[in-house]
Amino acid sequence: MRRGLALGTAVALAAGLAGACGGDAGSGTTAPEGGKPVVGVDYPRSDTDFWNSFIKYVPQFGAENGLELKTSNSQNDISKLTANVQSLISQGVKGLVLAPQDTAAVAPTLQQLAAKKIPVVMVDTRPEQGDAYMVVRADNRAYGEKACKFLGEKLSGKGKVVMLQGDLASINGRDRTEAFNDCMKAGYPGITVFGEATNWDGAVASQKLQTQLTANPDIKGVYMQSSFALSGTLQVLKQRRLLVPPADPKHVFVISNDGIPQELKEIAAGNIDATVSQPADQYAKYALEYTKAAIDGKTFKPGATDHDSTIVQVRPGLLEDQLSAPLVTADGGTYGDVPSVKPDDSSLWGNTLGG
């Protein structure tokens, strides 16, 4: 198996990890004799470029790890996720990859899987309660801090910005929001932040951006917490004749999160200014590698990995591999203390998708 994971034996993961820590052969975590381990992957949604990219990578890394995959799509609906998990259990999965967008409501499902000794790897989000074998996620507070420092430096610490938040029922939405607000308050107190909850909905984001620009036509920055808001934001700026090059005094500085190919193109074109590249490829790669590791009875401990990330213990029974998510800007400069790469950098997954 091609891994590059930080293996260790110091942490015996609790609750739902019993099957991943050398449990007995009857625990349900071993592959059928002569067959591939069956792993279930529930996709959280397929209506965004980011998650469609993740979906495209999953079969590739499933094959590399010698896994037989069973997939479902919960369409951003926790009740569908619950039903999908029941279906996957009935199909004999030995491990599960989940990415619940409602990180509180998933707890009963995790409890059930722990009782059945089916290890769970969570992608992109981590649960409010309950355990998982591993969380594969980037540091979402760092997303908010990087966006804050980029806009703070571009605006020289003065002016007004709109933050198009995700779903505050999601730990990702909360982490990005809290970190952005905390950073602005501490480092750029002369900037006023208008926070708008959007539930990861592009139409809602567009409408709220329109409303804020009407009330505050001097807004000079927009932080989109995900690329879900990209097309709508560009349309709103174009309608208001604000979609102008960065050198134009009317330019509104825009930073996103995700690093999808379209964002990289828009940065190069001067329509938006930056993004934080959330590693869709690495999410798929390491989610499936950790799932295979769980089935094989491996354990892990906190510390640096050899794939430019750090495993941290969020709480007893829950480890998180925090993958790298670089800032991408047109000039590849440093903003505050945050270095960046240019949009044509070959290391960005958005430049290699489909390659």
Side-chain angles (χ1 to χ4, degrees):
M1 185 179 79
R2 210 186 80 196
R3 285 205 290 281
L5 304 178
L7 295 177
T9 57
V11 175
L13 303 181
L17 311 189
C21 297
D24 62 27
S27 66
T29 61
T30 56
E33 186 175 351
K36 297 179 179 180
V38 181
V39 167
V41 181
D42 183 75
Y43 303 133
R45 57 197 304 170
S46 55
D47 58 349
T48 70
D49 289 342
F50 177 81
W51 283 113
N52 283 331
S53 298
F54 172 82
I55 289 169
K56 183 174 181 179
Y57 283 117
V58 164
Q60 171 189 340
F61 292 115
E64 287 186 11
N65 284 281
L67 303 174
E68 178 183 341
L69 299 181
K70 304 289 185 181
T71 63
S72 58
N73 192 319
S74 52
Q75 300 175 331
N76 205 26
D77 185 327
I78 192 66
S79 63
K80 289 183 180 179
L81 181 146
T82 301
N84 289 346
V85 167
Q86 302 309 311
S87 175
L88 291 167
I89 291 172
S90 72
Q91 295 177 66
V93 297
K94 309 306 178 187
L96 274 170
V97 175
L98 304 178
Q101 303 299 283
D102 188 330
T103 51
V106 74
T109 296
L110 294 178
Q111 291 172 355
Q112 180 191 21
L113 291 167
K116 292 181 175 294
K117 298 183 179 179
I118 298 175
V120 177
V121 172
M122 292 188 62
V123 175
D124 182 53
T125 62
R126 68 168 179 252
E128 312 288 328
Q129 298 179 358
D131 297 330
Y133 177 82
M134 183 67 72
V135 175
V136 176
R137 182 173 180 255
D139 183 349
N140 276 244
R141 285 194 62 86
Y143 291 1
E145 291 169 359
K146 290 175 181 180
C148 160
K149 290 178 180 180
F150 176 80
L151 289 177
E153 295 299 314
K154 282 294 187 182
L155 301 184
S156 300
K158 297 178 292 184
K160 300 176 181 178
V161 302
V162 177
M163 174 169 48
L164 299 175
Q165 302 162 327
D167 186 351
L168 298 183
S170 160
I171 191 167
N172 289 354
R174 292 199 303 277
D175 275 359
R176 297 175 200 187
T177 296
E178 291 169 3
F180 187 82
N181 284 334
D182 290 348
C183 170
M184 281 294 184
K185 183 177 180 180
Y188 307 97
I191 293 180
T192 300
V193 178
F194 300 105
E196 294 288 355
T198 69
N199 196 34
W200 308 118
D201 187 311
V204 173
S206 297
Q207 183 270 319
K208 291 193 172 183
L209 180 58
Q210 283 273 26
T211 299
Q212 282 293 353
L213 284 169
T214 298
N216 299 277
D218 56 342
I219 283 171
K220 300 302 291 183
V222 177
Y223 170 34
M224 308 182 300
Q225 288 191 358
S226 166
S227 59
F228 76 94
L230 178 63
S231 62
T233 294
L234 291 176
Q235 183 178 16
V236 169
L237 294 178
K238 184 176 181 179
Q239 289 172 347
R240 291 178 170 268
R241 299 180 181 176
L242 297 174
L243 194 62
V244 295
D248 191 308
K250 293 190 297 183
H251 182 77
V252 176
F253 290 95
V254 179
I255 181 169
S256 185
N257 286 158
D258 278 346
I260 62 171
Q262 190 61 39
E263 285 178 329
L264 304 183
K265 292 176 183 176
E266 300 294 353
I267 293 171
N271 292 327
I272 69 171
D273 302 274
T275 189
V276 179
S277 180
Q278 182 171 219
D281 57 340
Q282 302 295 285
Y283 279 6
K285 173 181 173 66
Y286 291 109
L288 291 166
E289 289 192 8
Y290 279 120
T291 305
K292 180 62 162 55
I295 293 169
D296 289 344
K298 307 290 186 181
T299 56
F300 298 84
K301 63 182 180 180
T305 73
D306 61 3
H307 52 268
D308 193 27
S309 69
T310 302
I311 296 175
V312 300
Q313 181 169 293
V314 177
R315 58 177 181 267
L318 190 64
L319 297 178
E320 178 173 304
D321 188 352
Q322 295 187 337
L323 301 178
S324 176
L327 176 66
V328 184
T329 66
D331 63 1
T334 297
Y335 293 87
D337 57 355
V338 181
S340 69
V341 298
K342 293 182 179 182
D344 61 355
D345 192 287
S346 61
S347 69
L348 298 172
W349 70 267
N351 287 325
T352 61
L353 182 63

